Amino acid sequence: MSSPTSTPGRKRGRDGNPATPSSEGPTSPPSQRRRGQDSSNGDLMPMPTSPATDMLSPAAPQDTSLFSSPRASVLPNEVDMSSPLMYGTPSSRVEGTPRSSVRGTPARQRPDLGSVRKAPQVDLHSEPPSADGAVASEPNAGQRLVIWGTDVNVGTCKEKFQRFLQRFIDPTATEDENAGLDLNEPLYMQKLEEISVVGDPVLNVNCLQVQSFDAELYRQLICYPQEVIPTFDMAVNELFFERFPDSILEYQIQVRPYNALKTRNMRSLNPEDIDQLITISGMVIRTSQLIPEMQEAFFQCQVCAYSTRVEVDRGRIAEPAVCRHCNNTHSLALVHNRSAFSDKQMIKIQESPEDMPAGQTPHTTIVYAHNDLVDKVQPGDRINITGIYRAVPMRVSPIQSNVKSVYKTHIDAIHFRKTDEKRLHGLDEDAEQKLFTEDRVQTLKELAAKPDVYERLSSALAPSIYEHEDIKKGILLQLFGGTRKDFSQTGRGNFRAEVNILLCGDPGTSKSQLLQYVFNLVPRGQYTSGKGSSAVGLTAYVMKDPETRQLVLQTGALVLSDNGICCIDEFDKMSDSTRSVLHEVMEQQTLSIAKAGIICQLNARTAVLAAANPVESQWNPKKTTIENIQLPHTLLSRFDLIFLMLDPQDEAYDRRLAHHLVSLYYQSEEQIEEEFLDMAVLRDYIAYARTYINPRLSEEASQALIEAYVDMRKIGSGRGMVSAYPRQLESLIRLAEAHAKVRFSEKVETIDVEEAKRLHREALKQSATDPRTGFVDISILTTGMSATARKRKEEVAQALKKLIQAKGKTPAMKYQQLLDDLRGQSETAITKELFDEALRSLADEDYLTVTGKTVRLLA
Amino acid sequence: STTGESWSLTLTIIYSKTDFSNPKSGWEAKVVEFFKDRLKEKDAHTWVPSLNDVPLHYLKPNSLVKFRCLIQDMFDPEFFMGAYETVDPSTNAKVLRCGRYKDVTECGVSLVDFNSRNTVTAERQTFYCVPIPGENPWVKEISSSLFVNAAPYQARVVPSTSYAPTRQKRSYEEDDMDDMDTQPQKQREPHSGINSSQGHTEQHGNGDCKRQETEAPSSQTASASHLDLNFPLPGEKGPSCLVKVYEDWDSFKLNDTLEVFGILSVSPALSALADEKDASSSILDPTESMETAEEQRVHSPPASLVPRLHMLYARPLPHNNPLLPSATLEDNSAFLSSTLSEMASVRAELLTYLTHVLLGDALAAEYLILHLISNVYARRDVLPLGKFAMNLSGCPAAALYTQRFYQIIQQLVPSSFYLGMSLQNMNQMRLVPKKDYVANRLVSGALQLARNTFLFLDETHLEQGQLDTTGVRNVTALGNLISWQKVDYDFNYHQMEFPCNINVLIASEGRSLLPSDCQIHLQSQVSPPNMEEYLSNIQLHPQTSSQLNKFRIYLSVARQLDYSISDEMTKSVEDDFVDMRKDDPQSVSAEDLHRMLVVARLLSLSLGQTSLTRDSWLRAKHIDMLRRSRMEQHQCVNGNEP
């Protein structure tokens, strides 16, 4: 039984050469560079796993005592019990800790840190050429001690951390992040209080906060996590039991740092990162069974029944050769069920698709989770993991002297954070936050400052698609989205911030191409086709895992594109049941599931970009939008913008189109690059605006919006119809906010409202123009029928009623006869549909009933 | 001694003179430069033995070899000892050694000093490479005949191994292969046919097994039969290789085709390590027990089956036609100008030949030439430019016409694949590569193809029936491939998009259910009573290889030419378009213009013209009109119309 947790070379080296510390570390400046060197020379030295190679180490015989009786003394003999060195050896049994209550609470081993107990310290005073050695007085002698191989002084480090805990107040904290905490009090002291109440002895520490408080401490934490974290543990326990002497914890508090900035991306891990604290993001792809790992072996003498315990040291157990009680050799046997084990699990994570360069396959990394981190994550979870990066040499083959010259790498997990977990609660700022370099931010801001940024961006969008500028502008605003507002306290719930867009038009007008482009542009885009997707594929379904019999919620395209865009092609070909799930998603932005005992509401704050073809193969300009695409108006009214993509058929347009296409085919790639914004810039621009810009309405803007809305309603009122509904006002607000985001403006101003109005009017002009009257009529979209059409229906019904009344007392009439009569007397053409509708409205009045081909009068 | 060996000797000398511990000495770069320079020398590359032609056991370990291959999978990067120190236990003498370009440490009697302060940790990347999928037999034959240095290998190897692979046996094997290749319809059917996707794993297992027995009987024979070499296409043969890359691995992409020059490592120690793991239970070492047995098998296969190749230098292959000079066309102006002058005449001959093959339909033959030289030359955001997927409808269903047709094309293009779209094939085949997380590798699929592979979809095999989930997914994948030239690989939790550049030809009776850039209905002028006989009479036989080679060179060169449109022509094309729309806006859409521009481009290139002329444009318009008028005649409604 052994453990891979320990890192080979360094410890070995330290134990092996205690006599020559002067040649190593402490003299050199405690910079990362030095450490980097160290890691390539010393740290990576493979651990000699077989005794044969062990003996090779020239210094090995000196410390045999350490191996044969590891438990004999907690501390190496050379260390004085009263010296501050005590702190440098954070034993798992903190017997030397001064505070009684700390002693009363058992410490729990931290296999995530490897074995750290025996790290000796070196006194810088032993360095002969110490410049300030003479100046240093006795009392601060302790300050000169550092842990071997590092520049960490335990006393200082502990003090600094305690100061951090006691004083740190997060200046950037906002109310909703830290519910229930007083923002003006030290954050971590409140967390300690929480621990004393809840009894969960884990303190998560945000490394970013440590950095802002004490950069030096942060550097040490990142570079020497194995030494610094146990020191933090000690510090926090002392502090805690001083503060809450009576609280009873299951074991001592463990500090779990997260959000280390050292490495963000799995791909950028390199030999320099070994043994450092790193945070990377990724997706869990496989988890192993629970592995019991021996922490302490229990040996019993076969002869005299004397028992002894041996702790695992760097993955190995030194079996005592001689019984100390009866002095028989080789008489001790391992007793498994009295040995102590800890839980361990292997987790494989794969880099997230967003982090990958195109054309390459994702990398994977092995992570070991220990104790309570076991079973915290499931395959498919997206996580941020903080841990220590390790490299272990491949096993030395006992028969061969040749060695495979490759190391195995893994991460010992200290902290997990699921990035998609919060989807159930709200936006997770940390997970969404994409890191931008200062240069990048500068470029983006310069771009934003340009007066024509809006036009620039919209023309950068899908440059291969010709013109359709308003559509591109609409999609651009959709990509930015409105400002998220929370009205849940007033009972209204969330306001939708996403802009939904429907494109309809002739086949072959590059609608699919636009959708493909958007899908490729946004990080959380999903692309489905109405033909191929079922309601289940769009929403979520419950699946029983065949192995574990566990119910698993599998999410579909809409949930997967939460905070992204769901592109649905061939929207018209979608079945009714599938379409019906969209109702909830497109207005409430949630998805309710009640299946197999799982009842929940998932967030699906996704913007929908849909494309629909007309029912007839060509768009019929004589019909309204609804008639052309045959979609229920309840669904249509949920789209903020509905655009028609039609072949404009005019000469100037044709010429420009031809020019555009021809140049597409002969321009070289470089020319294309020059002409348009890079897709990556556009992507970053959008990501930046979405994350950092939250525009609010200014006074003038709200006034302008009110006017716009009133105007819209006025237009129709003259002709006796309603031309705008509150939904349209909401759309306007969203569009105006999105436009402000494009300008990187925190304030929605009048120009934003103007553009929103213009775009909205353009879209309406295209989609809600009544082909009979030529007027824009919003009711086409909201009720499915234009006001004129409704009026016409009324007129026909009245004419029909008159006709029947004129016929006198005939209880039953032939359907066809009646139609012909009506056509005969009417001066306008009466279609069969119109006639049917008239009949239906009369039937609604209980005037007549239609059975088959006969019309009967009632009463 | 051979060149490969002498070069590896040079490497040893460089090693011995280098101070590895000094990372600034830049010796790595010097080594790479040395080899690059050597390989630039005239025909130098023909002196290096190729893993594609020379069987593995003829090759000396640690010698320089080359390998023409496709990157099928990329493994995780690994850390290794870039430099290490060994200690002789008797004398205590320390030697600093280099770990680059090697899998195993070299110690002899001494032992590695793990505590040495001179140890340097370095990083390298491993690619799993397979021979180019669908590479046609003529390419293999010609490439191996180019290898001028074959004799020493056979002469030397025979005595050195107890087993004597005589020339007879070798040629018997080759004959065997030739048989199979000349009659693909008999051999391929069981592969790409009924039992394909599940069946092919076992099949190549057995195939390899057989290969092992005849070529290099070894203790690994038994394990070989379990090993799936993960070839994208069923029925493939040849070595696969773990290529270790030391520099710039980010510049390589999945599915790139490369010629890798590197140092062959077949150290039995690698296999021994693998064997040992199988034998002893891995309880002792928890780090290794974490790898599943499958993962072990995939990532450390026996070196005798999957050799390791330590890359010194890799040349990206723009094509795999061995008849073309290896330098790029621009660098070889003599070759280019001589071919260009002949292009028009070769085109005429090829057109006649293909017209015969297409039962006398000259228009279809013309379009076929355009299709064969088409190439995605750029991408404008999501839009691939230059693709020209063709649907050849009206194919006679009888007498295996489509299969004979494919064989004829196979003789002309370097790589191709025949996919019979039978219902069973569609429901069972794995077209899209899928990540296997247990073995931690990308399980290949038939659509993992190298650039410019000719993919022949035979829809005449499709009958009425139910497509299951896999079937629907496969049809969608084919549709995406044709429309966007990309394949979405299945990573279980998400999909990942890989762009591709594959020439898709769909043969069908009516209009195909798959999209295409251009549909042409076959109008046969002849109706031979015996199709089989008719086609085998016109088919060029390998004996007439000079004629075939002309065609082969023609097709590969035409594809690689540059092309431009002058401002003047741009203007005239615009005018034309406006005029056509003026008469009847419905007649020409933007999509039609897209297609006509591609046709004009391909037409010009097929004539060896690198810029658009008025004549070519008019001709392109003309043939497109002919094609469309033919389509109107054959307007049969089968629900696949847009």
Side-chain angles (χ1 to χ4, degrees), chain A residues 24 40 44-46 348 350 359-360 364 368 403 405 407-408 463-464 520 651 655 659 664-665 672, chain B residues 76 79-81 105 114-115 117 119 121 250 252 254 290-291 295 377 380-382 437 574-575 578 594:
Chain A
E24 276 270 3
S40 48
L44 258 183
M45 283 187 285
K348 238 187 181 159
Q350 179 183 286
Q360 308 228 333
T364 57
Y368 290 110
V403 186
S405 55
Y407 298 95
K408 297 236 139 184
S464 67
N520 278 303
E651 196 181 318
R655 181 167 297 280
H659 182 79
L664 193 70
Y665 275 86
I672 297 168
Chain B
D76 292 328
F79 293 171
F80 69 101
M81 288 181 252
T105 56
F114 293 109
N115 296 330
R117 294 165 49 82
T119 309
T121 309
D250 287 340
F252 298 99
L254 200 73
M290 289 311 152
E291 277 192 341
E295 197 169 345
Y377 64 94
R380 207 62 194 271
D381 45 68
V382 291
Y437 284 115
E574 285 167 32
D575 290 342
V578 173
H594 264 288

Side-chain angles (χ1 to χ4, degrees), chain A residues 444-455 457 476-477 480 685 688-689 693 695-698 701 735-755:
Chain A
L444 296 180
K445 284 192 171 151
E446 273 167 26
L447 187 61
K450 295 200 167 124
D452 60 341
V453 59
Y454 181 51
E455 281 73 24
L457 292 180
L476 186 70
L477 295 187
F480 282 87
Y685 194 96
Y688 185 87
I693 315 286
R696 289 181 174 273
L697 289 177
S698 67
L735 291 172
E737 283 166 349
H739 189 262
K741 271 193 194 176
V742 174
R743 299 186 298 116
F744 277 13
S745 159
E746 285 289 351
K747 234 172 158 186
V748 180
E749 286 169 58
T750 333
I751 48 161
D752 302 316
V753 179
E754 286 307 315
E755 174 56 22

Side-chain angles (χ1 to χ4, degrees), chain A residues 13-24:
Chain A
R14 281 173 209 160
D15 284 350
N17 312 312
T20 56
S22 51
S23 61
E24 276 270 3

